[in-house]
């Protein structure tokens, strides 16, 4: 029969529920929240309220699509953190009530580890199989940018992290300056495909070690636009695609520089991408070129597992289940959480 895990994700602005039988994904339902678009960013109070509206119908659909009943589930895995506290509380409280009613265990999951664990999901979209340990993961999302050494399903070490903005934040903040809707990452990606990536150059950080920094790029982008708009008020409109392409090129360059250093330093030749920004088509093809050139074994997640989803929570929960890692019923969510 296998082990059936229900996964619950509610850390930011997506309410998601997924069912996994061992490593095989049976359903992955995601309800996004359009309410934030007009504010140009996620409004925590509105996010909690939308999770509260969505959580029961989303779980219901995930169970129906998986063709199972709640009584079949062996455990519920939920995102404990990091994330927005009010959002996390919805998923945590739901899990407490649901598991108490069924008399089954809860499993706490770290959202960042879960992004990496998508490489172990089996689904119709999964590609060339899972990476062997150890491998390096470039985890790039809206809230985090990290280089992680993954030793096994539970042991992960952060080699480098951003000291200020995350890569996704750099995409989103610069996209806002270009007048693009939130979140701007996918819009920059789309525009960049028609632009000249070498037309403009922006500041890159000169930071020793494996840490990242993106706030200087954002400032350099802002000042550049301000200067050009003084000369020509139509500058952004006339050059949008080239601006997007040059910005994206700079972000990818910054990401790959440190990754190359980390691969050399660790001597590991297997590398995986994870997190929302790994949906970026420019980053995916730059990684493919780099892997080809340097003989790295590369693992790129299917598009549907890049941004926040509960399939990643369910697969992480499955590996905790095998080890008997269960949460106690007085557990609370954590806005900040490390591994
Ligand atoms: O992993 P995620 O869904 O949420 C966090 O855990 O942060 O990542 C969301 C981020 C946003 O910043 C969004 O703009 C970015 O991922 N993103 C992209 C693309 N798709 C999503 N950035 C660049 N290109 C994309 N195609
Ligand atoms: Zn995420």
């Amino acid at each position: 029969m296998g082990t059936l895990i229900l996964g619950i994700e509610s850390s930011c602005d997506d309410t998601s529920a997924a069912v996994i039988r061992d490593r095989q994904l049976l359903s992955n339902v995601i309800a996004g929240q359009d309410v934030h678009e007009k504010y140009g960013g996620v409004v925590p109070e509105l996010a909690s309220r939308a999770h509260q509206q969505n959580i029961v119908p989303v779980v219901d659909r995930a169970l129906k699509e998986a063709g199972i009943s709640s009584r079949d589930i062996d455990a519920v895995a939920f995102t404990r953190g990091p994330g927005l506290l009010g959002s996390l509380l919805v998923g945590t409280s739901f899990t407490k009530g649901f598991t108490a009613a069924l008399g089954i265990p809860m499993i706490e999951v770290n959202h960042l580890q879960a992004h990496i664990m998508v490489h172990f999901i089996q689904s119709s979209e999964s590609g060339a199989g899972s990476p062997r340990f150890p491998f390096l993961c470039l985890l790039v999302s809206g809230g985090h940018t990290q280089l992680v050494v993954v030793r096994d399903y539970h042991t992960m070490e952060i080699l480098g992290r951003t000291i200020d903005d995350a890569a996704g934040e750099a995409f989103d903040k610069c996209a806002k300056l270009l007048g693009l809707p939130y979140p701007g990452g996918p819009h920059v990606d789309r525009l960049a495909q028609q632009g000249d990536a070498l037309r403009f150059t922006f500041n890159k950080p000169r930071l020793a070690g494996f840490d990242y920094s993106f706030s200087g790029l954002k400032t350099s982008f802002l000042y550049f636009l301000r200067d050009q708009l003084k000369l020509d008020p139509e500058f952004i409109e006339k050059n949008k695609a080239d601006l997007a392409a040059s910005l994206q090129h700079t972000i990818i360059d910054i990401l790959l520089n440190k990754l190359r250093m980390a691969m050399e330093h660790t001597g590991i030749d297997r590398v995986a991408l994870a997190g929302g920004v790994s949906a970026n088509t420019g980053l995916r093809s730059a990684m493919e070129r780099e892997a080809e050139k340097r003989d790295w074994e590369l693992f790129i997640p299917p598009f549907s597992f890049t941004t926040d989803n509960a399939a990643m929570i369910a697969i992480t929960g499955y590996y905790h289940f095998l080890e008997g890692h269960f949460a106690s019923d007085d557990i609370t969510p954590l806005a900040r959480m490390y591994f």
Side-chain angles (χ1 to χ4, degrees), residues 14-240:
D14 292 303
T15 318
S16 181
V19 177
I20 215 158
R21 175 176 279 127
D22 298 336
R23 292 174 54 192
Q24 187 67 42
L25 185 64
L26 303 184
S27 64
N28 185 31
V29 176
I30 305 172
Q33 303 181 356
D34 298 337
V35 64
H36 308 289
E37 207 174 302
K38 62 174 180 278
Y39 299 98
V42 177
V43 184
E45 185 107 3
L46 297 179
S48 319
R49 203 174 308 168
H51 282 304
Q52 194 69 265
Q53 281 177 332
N54 293 340
I55 187 96
V56 171
V58 163
V59 169
D60 202 44
R61 243 183 70 205
L63 296 180
K64 282 206 179 83
E65 284 185 18
I68 64 159
S69 114
S70 54
R71 283 180 303 280
D72 302 325
I73 298 168
D74 292 295
V76 181
F78 67 100
T79 306
R80 185 182 186 194
L84 301 170
L85 201 66
S87 290
L88 291 164
L89 270 167
V90 177
T92 308
S93 303
F94 174 87
T95 304
K96 287 190 182 194
F98 196 82
T99 53
L102 292 168
I104 55 173
M106 311 186 266
I107 300 170
E108 61 167 294
V109 170
N110 179 310
H111 180 88
L112 299 175
Q113 284 194 336
H115 267 300
I116 298 172
M117 292 294 286
V118 297
H119 292 283
F120 299 97
I121 298 171
Q122 281 174 354
S123 82
S124 53
E125 289 166 274
S126 306
S130 305
R132 280 183 299 119
F133 299 116
F135 63 92
L136 226 105
C137 185
L138 175 60
L139 170 55
V140 271
S141 75
H144 300 269
T145 297
Q146 296 176 339
L147 279 168
V148 183
V149 183
V150 186
R151 303 229 173 259
D152 62 41
Y153 299 115
H154 307 287
T155 319
M156 306 185 188
E157 292 157 27
I158 298 174
L159 200 62
R161 56 158 60 88
T162 180
I163 58 161
D164 42 53
D165 290 349
E169 246 174 314
F171 268 108
D172 296 342
K173 288 179 176 171
C174 293
K176 199 169 178 178
L177 298 173
L178 293 178
L180 298 170
Y182 178 86
H187 297 279
V188 172
D189 188 354
R190 184 181 38 79
L191 275 168
Q193 288 166 28
Q194 290 116 48
D196 175 359
L198 302 177
R199 169 101 186 273
F200 306 113
T201 51
F202 308 110
N203 275 2
K204 285 187 220 158
R206 271 178 242 122
L207 204 63
F210 301 111
D211 283 344
Y212 285 109
S213 166
F214 287 98
S215 66
L217 167 63
K218 181 192 61 194
T219 313
S220 146
F221 195 69
L222 171 71
Y223 288 165
F224 176 75
L225 291 182
R226 193 184 288 173
D227 292 346
Q228 295 301 320
L229 285 169
K230 275 184 204 148
L231 304 172
D232 177 5
E234 303 286 302
F235 179 77
I236 291 179
E237 279 317 308
K238 287 179 188 159
N239 299 287
K240 226 175 209 173

